[in-house]
Amino acid sequence: MAVRKDMAMVAAMMVLALLALASTASAAAAPCNAGLLAACASPVMTGSKPSAACCSNLRAQQGCFCQFAKNPIYGRYIQSPYPRQTVATCGIALPHC
């Protein structure tokens, strides 16, 4: 069960990273770090409301969204509905990569 939860968290982080990729591709002062998107695991996996920390981390990683989307590990998660919903709930626009 713990392995399944860990896999779900990794998948959620990837989805969030992909959502962040879809968000505006503005330049970010912080380096790209998909791990920061772990705060968005639950919204990305279940469609629950994102926390303030999730939205803040998505905004901080906006400049990395396209990079995350092009990554085969993260890119496949962008197509699911919950990552896009999470980004939209945070008021972040998806970029065109």
Side-chain angles (χ1 to χ4, degrees):
M1 279 293 185
V3 172
R4 186 172 267 182
K5 283 186 177 183
D6 289 341
M7 295 292 285
M9 289 298 271
V10 170
M13 287 189 296
M14 291 180 190
V15 173
L16 292 175
L18 293 178
L19 288 175
L21 288 173
S23 188
T24 54
S26 62
C32 296
N33 181 354
L36 292 176
L37 303 176
C40 299
S42 180
V44 167
M45 298 300 289
T46 67
S48 63
K49 183 179 178 185
S51 66
C54 169
C55 292
S56 175
N57 288 351
L58 284 174
R59 284 186 192 91
Q61 293 294 300
Q62 279 183 2
C64 303
F65 289 171
C66 289
Q67 177 183 335
F68 292 147
K70 292 175 185 176
N71 184 318
I73 295 171
Y74 305 128
R76 61 185 169 157
Y77 295 100
I78 288 178
Q79 299 307 319
S80 68
Y82 294 137
R84 292 177 182 273
Q85 176 181 314
T86 301
V87 171
T89 300
C90 291
I92 300 170
L94 296 175
H96 297 284
C97 301

